[in-house]
Amino acid sequence: MDEMEEELKCPVCGSFFREPIILPCSHNICLACARNILVQTPDAESPRSSRASGSGVSDYDYLDLDKMSLYSEADSGYGSYGGFVSAPTTPCQKSPNGVRVFPPAAPQPAPQQHLLPQPGSLPPIPRNSCITCPQCHRSLILDERGLRGFAKNRVLEGVVDRYQQSKAAALKCQLCEKSPKEATVMCEQCDVFYCDPCRLRCHPPRGPLAKHRLVPPAQGRISRRASPRKTSTCTEHELENLSMYCVQCKMPVCYQCLEEGKHGTHEVKALGAMWKLHKGQLSQALNGLSDRATEAKEFLIQLRNMVQHIQENGVEFEACLVAQCDALIDALNRRKAQLLARVNKEHEHKLKVVRDQISHCTVKLRQTTGLMEYCLEVIKENDPSGFLQISDALIRRVHVTEGQWGKGTLTPRMNSDFDLTLDSGPLLQTIHQLDFVQMKVPAAPMLQLEECCTQNNSATLSWKQPPLTTIAVEGYILELDDGNMGPFREVYVGTETICTVDGLHFNSTYKSRVKAFNGSGVGQYSKTLIMQTSEIAWFTFDPASAHQDIILSNDNLTVSCNSYDDRVVMGNSAFSRGVHYWEMTVDRYDNHPDPAFGLARGDVLKDVMLGKDDKAWAMYVDNNRSWFMHNNSHTNRTDGGIGKGATIGILLDFTRGILIFLINDEQQGPVAFEALEGVYYPAISLNRNVQITLHTGLPIPDFYTAGEADPTGSVC
């Protein structure tokens, strides 16, 4: 009930309603608050047509300020709530609900001949008073009755009273002598509240007291304080009770209103009947509102769950971001170490080359200097013969040594500059462009169960992306198992959100699931959907696989041929599992032809009799006898043929791997073929002398379900 509290508070004072009155706009306001927000208008500007009583909505002429009526702020001095002024010096205040409240006008000095108001009575309402609804801002001029012209909202007053009582303190026992305990029950007949000890002592459940009704204290308090419903009186005829309801004015009226007032020509109904009708309408309207409230509660739960998920995902995403950035930093540090190693290697190489050149040059310079000093000392000698003995050798040594200091000897072998430039521009640009990409792996699709179905041996699946997802999807992958609890396999890859899978096994249970993919990868699977194919096969002849001489009609259920040679047509459904039975009736049979009925592989020959090759297993029959044939091998001739109106039945049982033929509900010969495995199509071959109609969706014959199939039959 706490949510209802705002409905029980006055929009002006912000407190619980006290003596609420109903304004013509259907909003409520305290009687005292209504007096506080009255505004007096000048006599010259009060329109005659705007004076009306508060007896009905139609009695009021609203000052519709939204339509800029004649009595707007610009020309009358007052306007909608929060925008009008009653006098230039009248201050205004704000209610707890934020509504501007105008205090009552100062009382005018009454002439001496007028009587003073009686003690406890309300002061009179000034003439030309205007009241504006604090909620919808609609204004009106009061008539001579003032606020008494508005009906009191006794229902709202009762709801407020009950709400305040429910919030009151716990009731005490009325019979405890000292320190009364909390009451646990109330006797409606005794009108006394009891605690448990006092009830057992003073109100035992025996004798006359056994018939008394004990109720919980809260219920007893309400029943004790509830007074008989007062009969409402008419606001215009205060001595008359409201007994009828005016349908046109939508308000209760009295008999005098019908006889003298304006309601005399209006449609009226009994007050009690309209009370029950409106209660029913309100209850019905509340049902729809209750559904919306339930949806809103579920939506709030969803939003709260989203808050928790956002927080969890935020922490997870932040940790992922930090890990990715740390990985980038680690990779940069590793690359930094590699580049520094290269720089150090180049540095050591340059130093080694220069140092080797310094060492080599130093040695040669020492040798050259020594030779020069030696030659200078030789030149100082005064012995010509001794000088000439060594001068030629010294000259040659000087020239050789000078030649060793030839071109390039005094040129550095290594440049001091490092010919390495780090190309960091692309990486810096990539770092600056590093940002979040919206592309993520798609969420798991949602299967639309209302659109998923099976028909015959086909399954249709429909799915969609979850709501509120913004992740782009490039396509979907649909997977089905083999119908025998086997592994899943892809049956569709594409952009569509609905797919029909044909050629499934009859009477089989398939599991299906779907997932979405985009450039970032493949998302999670949807929930697995289990689908059951039809237990009984429904199929027709397949025009796509039929020989060109075959003629199909009757929605591909009736077949004939325009050739004298045998031509083959197959059914549009294949069998590889379960037990299946279908029949064919002979509509036309001329000149004793021998049509063949049976099974065939998908690549059977279409221009020869069924059973001539190794791709068909058939029974061909004329008007007297039948034979089984496979790979042009004829076996098991059996008496009994066909004619117009005959019925040929074909029973295929994969559980036992056998094929049985029937003519006119009787087994024709023994079991025709055994050890059948793989995929087979129903098939027939015929010429122009025969017309056959196919019948499918038939139950298994009773003789076979009872285990009475003849394994041997009669062989001729």
Side-chain angles (χ1 to χ4, degrees):
M1 293 182 64
D2 294 337
E3 292 84 355
M4 184 181 64
E5 186 168 314
E6 291 301 319
E7 295 285 338
L8 308 181
K9 290 184 177 180
C10 175
V12 176
C13 64
S15 302
F16 287 108
F17 282 106
R18 295 185 299 273
E19 298 183 276
I21 59 175
I22 307 175
L23 299 179
C25 56
S26 300
H27 292 128
N28 300 281
I29 189 173
C30 296
L31 180 60
C33 295
R35 297 188 63 85
N36 288 339
I37 64 174
L38 286 177
V39 176
Q40 187 174 2
T41 62
D43 290 343
E45 296 184 2
S46 59
R48 297 177 183 177
S49 60
S50 64
R51 290 186 184 276
S53 67
S55 59
V57 177
S58 60
D59 291 344
Y60 286 93
D61 288 329
Y62 285 108
L63 305 179
D64 195 345
L65 303 177
D66 292 337
K67 297 181 179 179
M68 299 299 293
S69 67
L70 177 64
Y71 313 110
S72 64
E73 295 182 24
D75 54 15
S76 65
Y78 66 93
S80 65
Y81 213 79
F84 61 79
V85 291
S86 58
T89 58
T90 303
C92 67
Q93 302 172 348
K94 269 195 175 182
S95 75
N97 288 3
V99 180
R100 299 181 66 184
V101 179
F102 289 84
Q108 300 294 332
Q112 293 183 356
Q113 64 270 23
H114 289 179
L115 297 177
L116 294 175
Q118 298 295 327
S121 63
L122 294 175
I125 301 298
R127 292 184 57 195
N128 302 329
S129 294
C130 169
I131 187 170
T132 301
C133 175
Q135 291 182 273
C136 65
H137 310 301
R138 301 180 73 177
S139 303
L140 65 142
I141 305 296
L142 302 185
D143 62 5
E144 61 277 359
R145 293 176 300 164
L147 297 177
R148 290 186 297 105
F150 297 112
K152 293 184 178 180
N153 195 337
R154 294 182 294 105
V155 174
L156 176 58
E157 192 173 10
V159 174
V160 171
D161 184 54
R162 289 196 300 271
Y163 181 79
Q164 290 178 324
Q165 289 177 8
S166 66
K167 296 294 183 179
L171 293 172
K172 301 296 183 180
C173 176
Q174 295 177 279
L175 298 182
C176 290
E177 296 180 356
K178 296 180 180 179
S179 302
K181 299 179 181 179
E182 184 176 342
T184 57
V185 295
M186 177 219 178
C187 177
E188 290 186 336
Q189 285 71 29
C190 301
D191 195 19
V192 176
F193 291 93
Y194 298 94
C195 64
D196 286 335
C198 293
R199 176 178 59 82
L200 295 175
R201 184 178 68 254
C202 304
H203 200 289
R206 58 180 179 270
L209 298 178
K211 298 181 180 181
H212 287 198
R213 183 169 180 263
L214 302 179
V215 297
Q219 181 180 347
R221 174 172 55 188
I222 294 174
S223 62
R224 168 189 272 189
R225 296 186 178 183
S227 57
R229 189 174 65 191
K230 297 179 180 179
T231 303
S232 302
T233 58
C234 181
T235 55
E236 293 189 3
H237 313 97
E238 298 181 354
L239 299 180
E240 295 292 336
N241 296 331
L242 296 173
S243 57
M244 302 298 289
Y245 182 83
C246 179
V247 177
Q248 181 175 343
C249 300
K250 297 182 179 180
M251 60 178 297
V253 295
C254 65
Y255 280 106
Q256 193 169 349
C257 290
L258 299 179
E259 294 177 358
E260 303 175 358
K262 65 176 182 178
H263 304 283
T265 59
H266 294 174
E267 179 186 2
V268 294
K269 292 186 178 181
L271 191 65
M274 294 303 296
W275 176 48
K276 294 180 180 179
L277 176 62
H278 282 211
K279 272 194 172 183
Q281 292 176 351
L282 179 59
S283 299
Q284 186 175 2
L286 282 177
N287 290 335
L289 186 60
S290 176
D291 294 339
R292 301 291 84 76
T294 302
E295 294 175 0
K297 290 179 181 178
E298 295 174 354
F299 180 65
L300 285 175
I301 294 175
Q302 179 183 355
L303 292 180
R304 293 189 181 100
N305 293 335
M306 285 183 63
V307 170
Q308 182 178 356
H309 292 161
I310 290 173
Q311 292 175 344
E312 295 174 354
N313 293 339
V315 173
E316 181 181 355
F317 188 78
E318 182 178 348
C320 181
L321 176 62
V322 171
Q324 288 178 317
C325 292
D326 290 343
L328 293 176
I329 294 173
D330 291 341
L332 186 61
N333 286 331
R334 289 193 298 269
R335 189 57 180 167
K336 173 185 174 183
Q338 295 173 357
L339 295 175
L340 285 176
R342 287 183 57 185
V343 171
N344 291 333
K345 184 178 180 180
E346 183 72 13
H347 174 259
E348 295 297 332
H349 174 67
K350 286 180 177 291
L351 289 178
K352 183 178 182 303
V353 171
V354 173
R355 285 170 180 169
D356 289 345
Q357 191 174 12
I358 290 174
S359 176
H360 178 71
C361 188
T362 301
V363 172
K364 288 182 64 78
L365 180 61
R366 185 182 301 114
Q367 293 175 352
T368 301
T369 304
L371 179 60
M372 290 172 60
E373 291 177 354
Y374 175 68
C375 290
L376 290 175
E377 292 298 328
V378 170
I379 292 174
K380 293 179 182 180
E381 290 293 332
N382 295 323
D383 185 2
S385 59
F387 177 81
L388 292 174
Q389 288 178 344
I390 62 173
S391 61
D392 289 336
L394 288 177
I395 291 172
R396 286 194 302 271
R397 286 185 61 188
V398 169
H399 286 303
V400 170
T401 303
E402 183 183 4
Q404 291 177 351
W405 292 99
K407 186 177 180 180
T409 305
L410 299 179
T411 302
R413 299 176 185 174
M414 185 62 63
N415 190 356
S416 61
D417 296 331
F418 284 81
D419 297 330
L420 298 174
T421 302
L422 184 62
D423 186 12
S424 61
L427 179 59
L428 289 174
Q429 184 178 2
T430 302
I431 293 176
H432 292 154
Q433 293 176 350
L434 186 63
D435 201 351
F436 298 106
V437 179
Q438 294 298 328
M439 181 69 73
K440 296 182 180 179
V441 174
M446 298 174 58
L447 290 171
Q448 301 191 84
L449 301 181
E450 65 277 4
E451 298 183 13
C452 298
C453 63
T454 58
Q455 183 177 7
N456 212 15
N457 64 333
S458 299
T460 299
L461 295 102
S462 177
W463 59 88
K464 64 179 180 179
Q465 279 298 100
L468 303 181
T469 182
T470 57
I471 303 175
V473 175
E474 296 180 5
Y476 301 92
I477 301 174
L478 176 63
E479 297 181 356
L480 266 73
D481 69 350
D482 60 356
N484 195 25
M485 305 300 291
F488 282 92
R489 55 185 177 177
E490 293 183 3
V491 296
Y492 171 76
V493 178
T495 59
E496 298 295 331
T497 58
I498 186 170
C499 177
T500 298
V501 183
D502 298 319
L504 302 177
H505 299 297
F506 287 93
N507 195 21
S508 299
T509 300
Y510 286 88
K511 293 189 295 184
S512 59
R513 63 187 184 184
V514 64
K515 58 184 177 181
F517 65 88
N518 58 17
S520 296
V522 180
Q524 296 293 323
Y525 284 106
S526 66
K527 293 183 179 180
T528 301
L529 178 63
I530 299 177
M531 309 183 76
Q532 175 73 36
T533 55
S534 175
E535 296 182 4
I536 300 177
W538 297 84
F539 60 92
T540 64
F541 290 118
D542 183 15
S545 65
H547 191 276
Q548 60 183 3
D549 293 335
I550 291 293
I551 302 173
L552 296 176
S553 59
N554 188 25
D555 294 331
N556 296 332
L557 291 175
T558 299
V559 59
S560 59
C561 181
N562 59 10
S563 173
Y564 286 105
D565 297 323
D566 290 302
R567 299 293 184 247
V568 174
V569 60
M570 297 188 300
N572 61 358
S573 293
F575 303 134
S576 61
R577 185 182 303 162
V579 182
H580 308 281
Y581 177 73
W582 63 96
E583 293 180 348
M584 299 185 187
T585 56
V586 180
D587 301 331
R588 180 170 53 83
Y589 189 80
D590 302 328
N591 301 323
H592 311 298
D594 47 2
F597 309 87
L599 304 174
R601 301 288 193 186
D603 54 350
V604 65
L605 296 177
K606 306 291 178 41
D607 54 356
V608 296
M609 179 183 286
L610 193 67
K612 286 285 186 178
D613 61 358
D614 61 348
K615 301 297 192 298
W617 293 256
M619 176 189 75
Y620 70 94
V621 57
D622 59 17
N623 61 322
N624 291 320
R625 61 189 68 84
S626 66
W627 292 264
F628 300 148
M629 183 167 62
H630 169 65
N631 199 17
N632 205 25
S633 174
H634 307 254
T635 60
N636 298 103
R637 188 183 73 175
T638 305
D639 290 335
I642 61 173
K644 181 179 179 181
T647 300
I648 298 90
I650 301 96
L651 194 153
L652 175 61
D653 185 356
F654 280 103
T655 61
R656 297 169 58 186
I658 64 174
L659 180 64
I660 297 175
F661 294 97
L662 295 86
I663 295 180
N664 297 327
D665 298 330
E666 296 291 337
Q667 182 175 339
Q668 183 73 0
V671 172
F673 301 99
E674 297 179 335
L676 296 177
E677 293 181 352
V679 180
Y680 301 89
Y681 290 87
I684 180 178
S685 67
L686 72 167
N687 61 19
R688 66 183 303 165
N689 294 316
V690 186
Q691 179 175 301
I692 302 295
T693 295
L694 175 66
H695 305 277
T696 63
L698 304 177
I700 306 303
D702 294 338
F703 84 93
Y704 190 76
T705 57
E708 298 176 357
D710 187 355
T712 59
S714 56
V715 180
C716 298

